[in-house]
Amino acid sequence: MAFTVAIDGPAAAGKGTISRAVAEHFGFAHLDTGLLYRAVGQRTLAGEDATEAARALRPDDLEHPDLRTAEAAQAASRVAAIPEVRAALLDFQRAFARRMGGAVLDGRDIGTVICPDAEIKIYVTADDQTRAGRRHKELIERGRDITLAQVLTDLRDRDARDSARAAAPLKPAEDALLLDTSEMTVDQAVARAIALIEARQ
Ligand code: C5P
């Protein structure tokens, strides 16, 4: 049976961690859709046209070692504003969402555009200082040399661009359940998401 969990929200709100944990708990497949845009962005940093890169995206592109850098994130957010890029990635995401056995997709437009009929939509947020602190810690642990102030600026830039764009802007679907993780531990946020999904099954 297909069962789609759509998880959206701004950068570093905890979507990825929650999505992975939820997928593992229910035995669902997980797709981090941000990686698709990061992979396209990465190819544009190497000089390619964004739309052509999106149309030619291959599974290996998702394995590129630099996809988690701040540069790849900014490049992702720029290519993500191009409607042709989004259109090129649509069918793959929709097919993934409806695979048998259940799927969790996390991104910015899963509940609004990719899966408007998802069985459950969760919009994960946290205040920007909290999000910047978490992302900074993650980047430092991966050996990146970046200040907290730079991370905060990067998040605010991306959120502003992602929210203001005409094509599939970042916003909660009308029927999304809000999950603010600012004051929650990872375990609490995951437990809450699991409880919300269980209530829909
Ligand atoms: O989630 P992540 O931070 O990896 O996403 C990188 C960028 O990709 C976002 O800032 C956003 O511009 C874009 N994105 C998007 N739609 C999605 C997922 C990511 O526009 N579904």
Side-chain angles (χ1 to χ4, degrees):
M1 202 186 75
F3 186 95
T4 308
V5 181
I7 301 193
D8 291 300
K15 301 184 300 293
T17 309
I18 292 172
S19 301
R20 277 189 298 277
V22 158
E24 193 177 339
H25 178 87
F26 291 100
F28 293 169
H30 170 228
L31 179 65
D32 169 0
T33 64
L35 267 190
L36 304 175
Y37 295 92
R38 285 172 184 260
V40 174
Q42 190 65 39
R43 284 177 68 154
T44 64
L45 293 177
E48 254 184 89
D49 171 74
T51 305
E52 279 168 25
R55 289 182 183 148
L57 205 65
R58 286 171 317 167
D60 313 356
D61 291 314
L62 304 182
E63 308 293 330
H64 193 291
D66 291 340
L67 294 188
R68 293 287 170 200
T69 62
E71 296 72 37
Q74 286 292 351
S77 162
R78 283 193 294 272
V79 301
I82 303 170
E84 290 79 6
V85 167
R86 306 198 72 84
L89 302 175
L90 189 78
D91 289 348
F92 172 73
Q93 295 177 82
R94 283 206 176 137
F96 190 97
R98 298 317 287 169
R99 63 201 281 158
M100 290 299 123
V104 182
L105 285 81
D106 72 282
R108 303 292 186 290
D109 63 339
I110 308 303
T112 51
V113 175
I114 305 293
C115 306
D117 298 328
E119 277 72 15
I120 178 159
K121 302 174 185 177
I122 303 177
Y123 192 84
V124 183
T125 56
D127 62 66
D128 33 358
Q129 298 286 348
T130 306
R131 293 190 285 122
R134 289 176 187 161
R135 180 52 53 89
H136 182 242
K137 185 164 170 275
E138 205 178 288
L139 290 170
I140 294 293
E141 280 168 5
R142 286 212 191 100
R144 306 277 169 195
D145 180 20
I146 189 162
T147 66
L148 179 60
Q150 279 172 303
V151 174
L152 184 60
T153 307
D154 171 61
L155 289 188
R156 285 181 175 154
D157 276 2
R158 277 206 289 146
D159 290 347
R161 199 185 294 126
D162 292 347
S163 306
R165 69 183 179 217
L170 166 67
K171 64 169 183 209
E174 273 173 24
D175 51 350
L177 306 167
L178 295 187
L179 177 55
D180 185 333
T181 66
S182 307
E183 305 291 330
M184 290 184 178
T185 63
V186 170
D187 288 351
Q188 286 169 332
V190 169
R192 180 82 190 117
I194 289 173
L196 292 173
I197 296 164
E198 271 169 354
R200 286 289 168 93
Q201 279 192 312

